[in-house]
Amino acid sequence: MTKEAGLLHSERRWGSGCTFVDTNRNGHLDLFVGTYLQFDPEKVPKPGENVNCNWKGIPVNCGPRGLPLGRCYLYRNNGDGTFKDISDASGISKAAGSYCMTAVAADFHDTGWPDIYVACDSTPSLLFRNNKDGTFTEVGLASGAALSEDGMEQAGMGVGVGDINLDGHLDIFKTHFAEDTAILYKNDGAGNFDDVTIRSGLGVETRYVSWGAGIVDLDNDGLPDLFIVTGNVYPEVEKILKEFPYKTPRIVFRNLGGKFEELIEEAGSGVAAAHASRGCAFGDFDNDGDMDVVIINMNEPPSLLRNDVTGGGHWLKVKLVGVKSNRSALGARVTAHYGGKVQAQEVLSQASFYSVNDMRLHFGLGPVEQVDLEIRWPNGGKENLSKVAANQLITVREGSGIVKSERFGGK
């Protein structure tokens, strides 16, 4: 029903990151689509033909540099199963000059209205600020979230979003190519970002091409951790350069409270195993109170990593059901107050690398046994829940409070 929905295009496009987002808070989910580049197999140079078709002196597939750039599109949901292209009217189409990859819609400016962040390959990443009137302004460079700390373009791949330093604001974690670090941007709450990669201890890892990523509390200590999957894009290279294997391990950066420590073998065989991975999604598939990971690998079955964390840290899961807002509550924010800490999370449509996480928000709580929650629904409405007990999944229906509680596996 693509044509009937108003989403069919006659020209060839390389669709990349897409996300559903209620841009105007009317309860209908609009659709943002990024395209990577314009690809014509008849015109693409052959491997080794020019500087953009070599890596480390080895002929490889060309691009993205040297190939025509893609662009971004925004489609407004008409509420009747059809969409209207408002890319020009909204200002989205004004942003040009980037190879778009993963797109994430979240409120990075703390205005109650969703913005859109796009990781871009070999070009500045994009941050579309919601002007609350149906239009967006691209502010990536001005906000500090487009380039590295030293002003360099990076190979933006995947995006994790979360509150890494527990200040109630959404930070950004973005992955890149080999010989570069994944980057961590700290949000000041007004949509201004500070590159804290080096001071956070993440600069120790530059060996791998990194893709899917997440900001997620893997050990339930109340401090969100970082997770990355990796894998090279040139299988032919390792035959000549052994230091650049095609299959590489996953990575965990454990949050120590402002600093991170890298864990690979220490995080278990599922993390240390070498694969050429791309997407990954986070969720508690076995309902035991900790966050597991499913990973898409190139040319082999996916991996399902079961988290067997010990230590007795408490947790809380929150499932939101919209009524006036969209039913999936995409764009809703939950802010948890626990043990003197505060952590914000939002229900996201797309994150990681072209992936969708479990929409049940998961808060690790450490030793804390009850939580105060602030819920801001996508339409701007707010609800507060006090002294919610830990170690359960609560379902919150917009306007009705907690309508269901479930406990898992005795935890």
Side-chain angles (χ1 to χ4, degrees):
M1 58 176 289
T2 308
K3 181 177 181 180
E4 293 82 353
L7 296 171
L8 184 65
H9 279 248
S10 57
E11 72 272 19
R12 177 188 286 125
R13 296 189 299 172
W14 187 321
S16 53
C18 63
T19 186
F20 286 106
V21 50
D22 187 355
T23 58
N24 54 1
R25 306 201 318 184
N26 68 351
H28 302 306
L29 289 172
D30 309 305
L31 177 62
F32 176 92
V33 180
T35 57
Y36 184 47
L37 49 76
Q38 300 176 48
F39 185 80
D40 185 343
E42 302 300 322
K43 298 180 180 179
V44 174
K46 294 180 174 60
E49 191 168 318
N50 62 47
V51 68
N52 297 311
C53 309
N54 284 271
W55 193 65
K56 303 291 184 184
I58 300 172
V60 295
N61 291 334
C62 301
R65 295 187 188 274
L67 300 180
L69 296 153
R71 51 161 289 190
C72 298
Y73 297 82
L74 181 62
Y75 301 93
R76 185 181 65 205
N77 189 333
N78 296 323
D80 60 0
T82 67
F83 292 80
K84 179 181 180 181
D85 187 340
I86 58 168
S87 306
D88 294 338
S90 65
I92 292 292
S93 64
K94 293 180 181 178
S98 289
Y99 298 107
C100 300
M101 280 199 158
T102 302
V104 181
D107 181 10
F108 295 107
H109 291 84
D110 285 7
T111 61
W113 294 72
D115 309 301
I116 302 169
Y117 184 75
V118 187
C120 297
D121 187 4
S122 305
T123 49
S125 292
L126 305 171
L127 176 58
F128 294 99
R129 184 186 64 208
N130 193 324
N131 297 324
K132 301 185 281 187
D133 61 1
T135 68
F136 288 81
T137 301
E138 203 287 302
V139 296
L141 282 171
S143 71
L147 304 170
S148 68
E149 188 172 35
D150 53 2
M152 298 299 292
E153 297 171 343
Q154 297 175 285
M157 312 283 204
V159 179
V161 172
D163 185 359
I164 203 69
N165 58 333
L166 304 178
D167 62 358
H169 310 309
L170 295 179
D171 309 305
I172 294 173
F173 181 53
K174 181 157 61 76
T175 55
H176 300 110
F177 211 79
E179 300 185 323
D180 197 358
T181 63
I183 196 166
L184 182 60
Y185 293 117
K186 184 179 71 174
N187 186 353
D188 70 353
N192 302 307
F193 291 88
D194 185 18
D195 181 347
V196 296
T197 305
I198 302 301
R199 71 196 81 166
S200 297
L202 304 181
V204 299
E205 184 55 78
T206 61
R207 293 172 291 177
Y208 308 125
V209 181
S210 301
W211 300 88
I215 299 177
V216 57
D217 190 345
L218 295 170
D219 55 5
N220 283 341
D221 67 348
L223 300 172
D225 308 297
L226 305 174
F227 186 94
I228 307 171
V229 301
T230 72
N232 211 310
V233 294
Y234 307 128
E236 63 270 38
V237 167
E238 68 179 345
K239 297 178 181 178
I240 301 173
L241 301 176
K242 301 299 183 184
E243 64 269 33
F244 295 106
Y246 183 59
K247 295 184 177 183
T248 50
R250 294 79 187 243
I251 303 169
V252 172
F253 280 102
R254 181 165 59 189
N255 192 338
L256 303 178
K259 295 279 188 178
F260 293 85
E261 66 172 345
E262 184 181 26
L263 306 176
I264 297 181
E265 289 83 4
E266 301 91 338
S269 59
V271 171
H275 297 268
S277 303
R278 296 296 184 264
C280 68
F282 305 88
D284 188 358
F285 83 91
D286 53 355
N287 285 342
D288 66 350
D290 52 40
M291 292 295 275
D292 311 298
V293 191
V294 62
I295 303 170
I296 296 300
N297 305 308
M298 296 293 287
N299 303 314
E300 60 173 318
S303 303
L304 180 58
L305 307 190
R306 189 186 65 203
N307 188 345
D308 291 327
V309 64
T310 59
H314 298 298
W315 53 272
L316 179 71
K317 294 182 185 295
V318 182
K319 179 181 179 180
L320 301 179
V321 180
V323 178
K324 294 180 179 179
S325 303
N326 69 87
R327 186 173 61 181
S328 298
L330 292 174
R333 175 177 294 199
V334 176
T335 304
H337 298 261
Y338 55 98
K341 300 181 175 69
V342 57
Q343 183 184 164
Q345 294 188 33
E346 287 195 12
V347 183
L348 306 176
S349 172
Q350 180 179 93
S352 184
F353 181 73
Y354 305 162
S355 303
V356 182
N357 297 324
D358 187 344
M359 291 186 186
R360 305 175 300 175
L361 300 181
H362 176 95
F363 294 89
L365 304 176
V368 180
E369 297 183 359
Q370 63 180 22
V371 188
D372 295 329
L373 301 177
E374 301 172 11
I375 301 172
R376 191 190 67 208
W377 297 95
N379 64 6
K382 296 181 180 180
E383 295 183 43
N384 293 295
L385 301 172
S386 299
K387 298 181 178 179
V388 179
N391 301 334
Q392 62 174 330
L393 163 66
I394 61 170
T395 299
V396 182
R397 183 177 175 88
E398 185 177 10
S400 302
I402 299 175
V403 296
K404 187 176 181 181
S405 300
E406 300 174 70
R407 292 190 176 272
F408 298 155
K411 284 195 176 183

